[in-house]
């Protein structure tokens, strides 16, 4: 890294710096009582070292500190601890990301990944089988290796062409639960302004499904049925691209609850989308 060589052991991190003769190198302990998943679990990005430990993620920018991880419980409860040595990290500098690939559950091969976006300070995850990863660098796109002995370009196009046969990439994002009205009263949501665009899509009419997931209260689980005499989901579609991209500007719903989450998902070929700031119209409502 910058002006030092970092050396990990099973439980510590050392910093080695060149000091000249006669000692040549000086080693200092900069982190102890830490862990590291494997010898390939470290990635260096934006002047900072990031790595996956045995039960959490860490960073070193002059001092060792754990990373706040919103998906920590999900990742480490579904990680095959007998396959820690297969964990490997990589970077995707174009999108300010650090990737970790790992074996999930009882899998003996790498099949999952988790990503930390250090610019936005957010986490996301998915399923993908890769055996090696190389960031773009002098290349135009990141390069990865598959279990089928293929080398594939990432961030190229909007569909999955790993096997030579194009297929859609399924994607979704779900918000956390948030209060409607003051939180202790029921509210009725009758309209949503989706604020979704489809710039970069290759399909003629790309679309996503947007769903409202209501709850009666914290810990109650999503309502079943999720709507009151209507629908809690709708299709948001691009309708025109010139002169300005146009898409579904409003969706009418019939959803009742104290809290709610919003989910957006797509599974069509040629579809890429960007979520802005959705708005909902609601009014105070009683419970029937």
């Amino acid at each position: 890294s910058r002006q030092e060589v970092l050396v990990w052991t099973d439980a510590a991190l050392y910093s080695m710096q060149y000091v000249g003769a006669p000692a040549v190198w000086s080693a200092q302990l900069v982190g102890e009582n830490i862990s590291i998943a494997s010898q390939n679990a470290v990635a260096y990005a934006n002047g900072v070292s990031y790595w996956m430990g045995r039960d959490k993620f860490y960073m070193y920018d002059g001092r060792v500190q754990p990373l706040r991880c919103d998906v920590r419980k999900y990742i480490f409860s579904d990680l095959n601890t007998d396959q820690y040595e297969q964990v490997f990290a990589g970077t995707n500098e174009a999108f300010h990301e650090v990737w970790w690939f790992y074996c999930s559950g009882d899998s003996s091969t790498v099949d999952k990944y988790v990503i930390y976006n250090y610019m936005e300070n957010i986490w996301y995850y998915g399923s993908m089988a890769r055996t090696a990863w190389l960031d773009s660098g002098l290349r135009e796109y990141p390069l990865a290796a598959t279990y089928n002995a293929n080398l594939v370009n990432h961030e190229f196009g909007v569909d999955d062409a790993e096997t030579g046969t194009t297929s859609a990439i399924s994607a979704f994002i779900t918000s956390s639960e948030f209060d409607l009205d003051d939180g202790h009263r029921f509210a009725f949501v009758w309209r949503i302004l989706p604020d979704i665009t489809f710039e970069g899509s290759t399909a003629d009419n790309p679309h996503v499904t947007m769903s409202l997931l209501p709850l009666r209260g914290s810990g109650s689980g999503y309502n079943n049925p999720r709507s009151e005499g209507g629908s809690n989901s709708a299709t948001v579609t691009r309708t025109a691209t010139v002169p300005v991209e146009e898409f579904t500007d409003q969706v009418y719903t019939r959803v009742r609850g104290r809290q709610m989450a919003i989910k957006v998902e797509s599974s069509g070929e040629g579809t890429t989308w960007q979520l802005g700031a959705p708005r909902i119209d609601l009014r105070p409502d009683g419970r029937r």
Side-chain angles (χ1 to χ4, degrees):
S1 64
R2 295 176 303 177
Q3 302 177 350
E4 60 186 340
V5 176
L6 299 175
V7 180
W8 278 263
T9 71
D10 289 342
L13 174 62
Y14 292 87
S15 170
M16 294 182 61
Q17 294 182 320
Y18 179 77
V19 295
V24 184
W25 291 96
S26 172
Q28 292 183 330
L29 177 65
V30 294
E32 56 184 339
N33 297 322
I34 62 173
S35 62
I36 185 169
S38 73
Q39 63 179 356
N40 295 317
V42 183
Y44 187 74
N46 198 35
V48 181
S49 296
Y50 300 93
W51 71 96
M52 176 189 280
R54 296 277 174 147
D55 58 356
K56 62 173 68 75
F57 295 90
Y58 298 89
M59 63 176 289
Y60 173 77
D61 59 358
R63 65 188 181 99
V64 174
Q65 51 187 320
L67 278 173
R68 182 188 66 82
C69 179
D70 300 319
V71 297
R72 174 186 171 190
K73 181 179 179 181
Y74 173 83
I75 298 301
F76 288 99
S77 64
D78 185 40
L79 192 153
N80 188 345
T81 56
D82 293 331
Q83 301 295 331
Y84 268 128
E85 290 302 319
Q86 292 199 58
V87 173
F88 67 94
T91 61
N92 190 351
E93 291 279 7
F95 294 92
H96 317 294
E97 296 171 341
V98 179
W99 293 52
W100 287 275
F101 293 88
Y102 63 94
C103 304
S104 67
D106 297 324
S107 175
S108 60
T109 58
V110 173
D111 60 344
K112 294 289 186 70
Y113 66 86
V114 58
I115 300 174
Y116 175 59
N117 187 310
Y118 51 83
M119 185 68 70
E120 303 289 343
N121 194 27
I122 56 175
W123 295 80
Y124 30 101
Y125 57 85
S127 300
M128 187 163 55
R130 296 291 183 266
T131 60
W133 179 276
L134 179 66
D135 202 357
S136 53
L138 299 177
R139 295 174 46 83
E140 189 173 359
Y141 305 104
L143 185 68
T146 73
Y147 281 98
N148 294 323
N150 291 332
L151 293 178
V152 294
N153 284 320
H154 280 252
E155 314 303 343
F156 177 70
V158 296
D159 294 313
D160 181 2
E162 175 184 336
T163 62
T165 300
T166 301
S167 61
I169 296 178
S170 298
F172 75 91
I173 186 170
T174 305
S175 74
S176 59
E177 291 89 11
F178 55 89
D179 289 340
L180 296 173
D181 201 15
D182 286 335
H184 66 283
R185 295 185 298 185
F186 272 80
F188 180 73
V189 180
W190 62 276
R191 183 175 65 165
I192 182 169
L193 309 180
D195 193 16
I196 295 175
T197 62
F198 299 91
E199 182 179 358
S201 294
T202 57
D204 292 335
N205 297 108
H207 63 275
V208 301
T209 300
M210 174 172 273
S211 303
L212 305 183
L213 311 176
L215 300 90
R216 292 190 300 275
S218 300
S220 67
Y222 295 131
N223 294 356
N224 187 18
R226 294 180 179 174
S227 62
E228 297 288 343
S231 175
N232 76 315
S233 64
T235 300
V236 181
T237 306
R238 185 177 68 188
T239 56
T241 57
V242 290
V244 178
E245 184 181 43
E246 298 178 0
F247 55 93
T248 305
D249 60 346
Q250 59 183 342
V251 173
Y252 293 96
T253 62
R254 295 181 59 85
V255 175
R256 177 181 285 109
R258 289 191 180 96
Q259 295 178 310
M260 190 176 73
I262 297 178
K263 182 177 183 179
V264 181
E265 55 189 324
S266 68
S267 58
E269 289 187 25
T271 301
T272 180
W273 46 272
Q274 301 82 39
L275 177 64
R279 299 289 192 271
I280 59 174
D281 275 336
L282 55 84
R283 62 173 181 259
D285 195 68
R287 179 180 178 184
R288 292 190 302 175

